[in-house]
Amino acid sequence: MTAYKDRSKEELLQEKSQLEAQYKEFQGKGLKLDMSRGKPSAAQLDLSMGMMDVLDSFTDLKCEAGIDCRNYGVMDGIPEAKRLLGELIEVPADNIIIYGNSSLNVMFDVVSHAFTHGIMGMTPWHKLDKVKFLCPVPGYDRHFSITEYFGVEMINVPMTPQGPDMDLVEKLVSEDEAIKGIWCVPKYSNPQGYTYSDETVRRFAALKPAAKDFRIFWDNAYNVHHLYDEPQDVILELLSECEKAGNPDMVYKFSSTSKISFPGSGVAAISASKANLDDLRTHLTIQTIGHDKLNQLRHVRYFKDIHGIETQMKKHAEILRPKFEAVLEILDRELGDLEIGTWTKPHGGYFISFESLDGCAKAIVAKAKEAGVVMTGAGATYPYKKDPHDSNIRIAPSFPPIDELVQATELFVLCVKLVSVDKLLENM
């Protein structure tokens, strides 16, 4: 196929006429498909149904420490749950606090604590004239929503296949004391699926921030979410790298079983230095008498150890892999030679990132919606939902059945073509 930019005006007008006819056919199908969020499918949720049978009214509900999990107590989480989550994110159990069912809730709590009481005895952020966060872009919309909610000024940092632009990160954090944190999804990043290189992780660990209360918010959401047995991305463990670099307190590491077991009923955790965890406990003891120990016990007795989790994730991959491959096959076949978009081909995670021609993303998403396919809102992957190039679209293949996913992707590429033709004609 000839690239659109190399075609004459007459050829593009002819192409537009054909595409519009195809689009009307899609509109006539009455589609109601949703590709807006990276939710696990029903088939993935079914993988964990055996967990519902682990505990019953005849089960011994004491954890290995002898504590009755039906009752109050155990602020940090039961020992076996700390050990399991430690294996998941490659840190000692002593460096973990187990929370409730959502790592996003833990992140919100940590930011809220920093605003109301400060970090490790330092000035509460609400007393400062300005608080800023670095935001690798495109990135995770829910991270950005937290800092926007608290009135934090968010600064875009471009992502590369190796991770955030570390030259810019190092420069900004070393020069501006108002920069208090950076959001990171270091493995199979949302939405591009990039994994930070060893050099990037070491540069993070060696940062010299102007602010003593600067923290790396390291959201290890997709640590075991591989699509393939080979290749699988690997990443250095940041907490130990920070210790080696003499910065043991600089990182909060978040994780959960949300897309391993049940998204609404998983187990979440934070890993950090002893000093950071002691600081967090000061408000945790006021906030709660203990999180859901029965759910912790259920997860431990079902998975048993990291090998149980890895076995579960291979089953997830068997469901997800064909969906990713179907989307990528259609993108390659329909758009590969047209030079009107680029996309990532991740080894894991939940998303494919698509870059359209500048100024086209909102129109593509709107056109897809008109024909019955809801995509993630254009701009959602940037702070304040403002994509400076109006080009990034997050594709979420996980939730729809594969036949619906194929239909949705075929409509998506048709919308990309239509909007791109209009853009090129507009510039002629």
Side-chain angles (χ1 to χ4, degrees), residues 376-404:
T376 302
T381 54
Y382 282 76
Y384 313 109
K385 296 180 172 59
K386 294 180 180 178
D387 176 354
H389 298 287
D390 185 24
S391 63
N392 186 256
I393 299 171
R394 187 179 72 180
I395 300 173
S398 61
F399 185 70
I402 196 159
D403 57 335
E404 293 184 4

Side-chain angles (χ1 to χ4, degrees), residues 7 16 100 113 135 164 204 286 353:
R7 299 188 192 186
K16 179 178 178 180
H113 174 64
C135 299
F204 264 113
I286 306 299
S353 183

Side-chain angles (χ1 to χ4, degrees), residues 288-358:
T288 181
I289 305 177
H291 291 102
D292 186 347
K293 295 183 293 299
L294 290 175
N295 194 35
Q296 295 171 33
L297 191 66
R298 181 183 298 115
H299 277 74
V300 171
R301 291 190 179 171
Y302 181 70
F303 289 118
K304 295 183 173 59
D305 55 29
I306 189 62
H307 301 296
I309 289 178
E310 289 170 348
T311 299
Q312 176 90 335
M313 296 315 295
K314 286 183 179 181
K315 296 175 183 176
H316 277 279
E318 288 170 4
I319 295 170
L320 285 171
R321 185 169 56 249
K323 295 183 177 185
F324 274 75
E325 290 178 345
V327 172
L328 292 170
E329 189 278 328
I330 294 169
L331 292 174
D332 287 341
R333 168 167 41 88
E334 296 293 330
L335 302 178
D337 298 321
L338 299 182
E339 298 183 24
I340 55 174
T342 59
W343 49 93
T344 57
K345 297 183 177 182
H347 297 151
Y350 262 67
F351 303 102
I352 296 167
S353 183
F354 183 88
E355 289 289 337
S356 70
L357 298 178
D358 283 8

Side-chain angles (χ1 to χ4, degrees), residues 240-289:
S240 58
E241 291 299 320
C242 283
E243 290 174 356
K244 292 176 191 174
N247 290 317
D249 300 330
M250 197 165 58
V251 58
Y252 295 129
K253 189 173 181 179
F254 304 92
S255 66
S256 78
T257 67
S258 286
K259 288 177 180 174
I260 298 172
S261 57
F262 298 120
S265 304
V267 176
I270 186 171
S271 175
S273 68
K274 181 180 183 301
N276 274 318
L277 295 183
D278 286 345
D279 180 51
L280 292 172
R281 288 187 187 98
T282 61
H283 79 109
L284 191 60
T285 55
I286 306 299
Q287 182 182 16
T288 181
I289 305 177

Side-chain angles (χ1 to χ4, degrees), residues 159-166 186 194-201 204 235:
M159 275 287 287
T160 77
Q162 289 73 46
D165 179 342
M166 290 307 295
Y194 293 151
T195 295
Y196 295 9
S197 68
D198 290 356
E199 179 188 0
T200 295
V201 175
F204 264 113
I235 188 169

Side-chain angles (χ1 to χ4, degrees), residues 61-74 78-79 293:
L61 298 177
K62 291 182 179 179
C63 69
E64 65 182 32
I67 295 165
D68 190 335
C69 291
R70 300 171 299 174
N71 215 332
Y72 291 134
V74 191
I78 63 175
K293 295 183 293 299

